[in-house]
């Protein structure tokens, strides 16, 4: 017996648009995926992974290192083994199949980061359908690092919103976001200054928009730390967001606490 099922919404993106009509490699971050998932299982929850096309997410090579596990080689190995071999991470479903089978049986939903969600999840209609269900049911909804960008999928036309951001038209993006589910929620996400580190050292190119810019244009009340890469979690109603990779453990703790509290 488990306390309940938790849906983990993964990305299938493996590359991301960057300025200059080029693409950079991307994926999900290993620690941001496995640390919360492992914490959920340790707390007695069943993890169900689903992605847009039903295939397992790709791990961003930049995250596949002990450095993202506080330089703890044993923790990194445990996380890598969990992603490679656990039943939860190796039986992915399509988002559509999960929706069709019914979302009422899930206690909460979690979206990991890495830049991949910026490509597919933030403009995916099925992600929007899932998020609106958990919002309306007031079920814990957790997103980490770049993961909170997926919240924009819950607006009426997320594709138009994203296109406006890429075109550099924040005013038009805000128009598309006028009926956004999470308007006026407090939230956090990977900061603009943290993104510059990724642009300079990993992508070697600039992205079309940064994450706080996008969520602010959507109508969110975005809060980020003055010091880059310090752990930071924001909780507002059912929404739990973590700012960066080092927020993995604090977000997992807050998410499990919210799930347990809802169980009573």
């Amino acid at each position: 017996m488990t306390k309940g099922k938790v849906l983990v919404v993964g990305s299938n993106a493996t590359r991301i648009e960057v300025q200059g009509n080029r693409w950079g490699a991307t994926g999900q971050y290993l620690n941001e995926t496995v640390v919360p998932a492992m914490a959920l299982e340790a707390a007695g929850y069943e993890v169900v992974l689903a992605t847009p096309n039903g295939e397992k997410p790709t791990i961003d090579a930049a995250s596949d290192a002990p450095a993202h596990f506080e330089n703890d080689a044993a923790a990194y190995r445990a996380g890598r083994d969990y992603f490679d071999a656990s039943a939860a991470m190796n039986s992915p479903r399509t988002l559509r199949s999960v929706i069709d089978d019914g979302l009422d049986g899930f206690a909460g939903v979690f979206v990991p980061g890495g830049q991949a969600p910026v490509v597919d999840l933030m403009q995916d209609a099925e992600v929007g359908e899932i998020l609106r269900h958990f919002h309306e049911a007031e079920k814990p909804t957790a997103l980490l690092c770049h993961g909170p960008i997926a919240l924009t999928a819950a607006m009426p036309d997320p594709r138009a919103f994203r296109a406006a951001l890429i075109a550099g038209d924040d005013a038009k993006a805000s128009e598309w976001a006028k009926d956004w589910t999470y308007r006026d929620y407090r939230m956090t996400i990977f900061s603009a200054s943290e993104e510059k580190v990724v642009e300079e050292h990993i992508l070697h190119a600039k992205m079309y928009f940064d994450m706080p810019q996008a969520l602010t244009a959507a109508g969110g009340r975005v809060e980020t730390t003055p010091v880059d890469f310090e752990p930071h979690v924001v909780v507002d109603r059912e929404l739990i967001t973590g700012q960066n990779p080092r927020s993995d453990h604090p977000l997992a703790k807050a998410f499990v606490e919210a799930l347990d509290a809802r169980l009573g």
Side-chain angles (χ1 to χ4, degrees):
M1 294 292 292
T2 68
K3 292 179 180 178
K5 295 187 297 182
V6 174
L7 180 62
V8 175
V9 176
S11 169
N12 292 127
T14 59
R15 60 179 195 156
I16 187 169
E17 311 101 315
V18 293
Q19 292 185 26
N21 294 316
R22 294 186 293 126
W23 294 81
T26 196
Q28 284 187 193
Y29 260 43
L30 178 63
N31 68 300
E32 296 175 20
T33 303
V34 302
V35 167
M38 293 170 74
L40 288 166
E41 290 195 350
Y45 292 93
E46 176 188 351
V47 170
V48 177
L49 173 64
T51 65
N53 67 16
E55 296 179 5
K56 187 176 178 179
T58 296
I59 293 300
D60 192 323
S63 72
D64 194 6
H68 289 283
F69 293 81
E70 301 294 336
N71 290 310
D72 184 333
Y76 161 70
R77 189 69 263 162
R80 185 74 243 191
D81 289 347
Y82 178 81
F83 186 79
D84 291 340
S86 72
M89 294 290 103
N90 289 279
S91 304
R93 301 181 57 183
T94 63
L95 298 178
R96 187 74 258 161
S97 72
V98 170
I99 293 168
D100 288 346
D101 284 351
L103 296 170
D104 289 339
F106 289 94
V109 61
F110 167 59
V111 182
Q115 291 176 314
V118 183
V119 181
D120 57 358
L121 301 188
M122 74 173 291
Q123 57 179 337
D124 190 290
E126 290 167 349
V127 173
E129 189 174 347
I130 289 167
L131 290 171
R132 286 190 295 271
H133 166 86
F134 284 93
H135 167 74
E136 290 163 8
E138 300 180 344
K139 295 180 182 179
T141 301
L143 309 95
L144 179 58
C145 197
H146 288 80
I149 199 66
L151 294 170
T152 66
M155 61 181 61
D157 193 341
R159 288 183 178 273
F161 173 79
R162 186 177 187 273
L165 290 173
I166 289 176
D169 192 340
D170 286 12
K172 178 61 70 174
S174 293
E175 289 180 25
W176 287 113
K178 63 182 180 180
D179 295 319
W180 188 39
T181 302
Y182 299 98
R183 176 171 292 277
D184 292 327
Y185 268 70
R186 293 174 51 245
M187 59 188 68
T188 190
I189 195 167
F190 202 60
S191 73
S193 53
E194 289 168 336
E195 198 77 77
K196 287 181 181 178
V197 176
V198 176
E199 291 173 332
E200 292 174 4
H201 299 286
I202 298 175
L203 288 175
H204 306 291
K206 285 189 65 62
M207 293 176 63
Y208 281 99
F209 57 89
D210 64 60
M211 303 305 103
Q213 169 194 351
L215 291 187
T216 298
R221 295 164 54 195
V222 181
E223 306 171 6
T224 57
T225 60
V227 178
D228 287 348
F229 300 105
E230 282 297 303
H232 182 51
V233 172
V234 173
V235 180
D236 187 353
R237 289 159 277 185
E238 83 279 5
L239 186 64
I240 306 163
T241 50
Q243 179 175 325
N244 49 39
R246 293 192 62 224
S247 303
D248 52 0
H249 285 282
L251 177 125
K253 181 175 183 292
F255 189 30
V256 169
E257 288 174 351
L259 291 165
D260 285 348
R262 201 169 189 278
L263 282 176

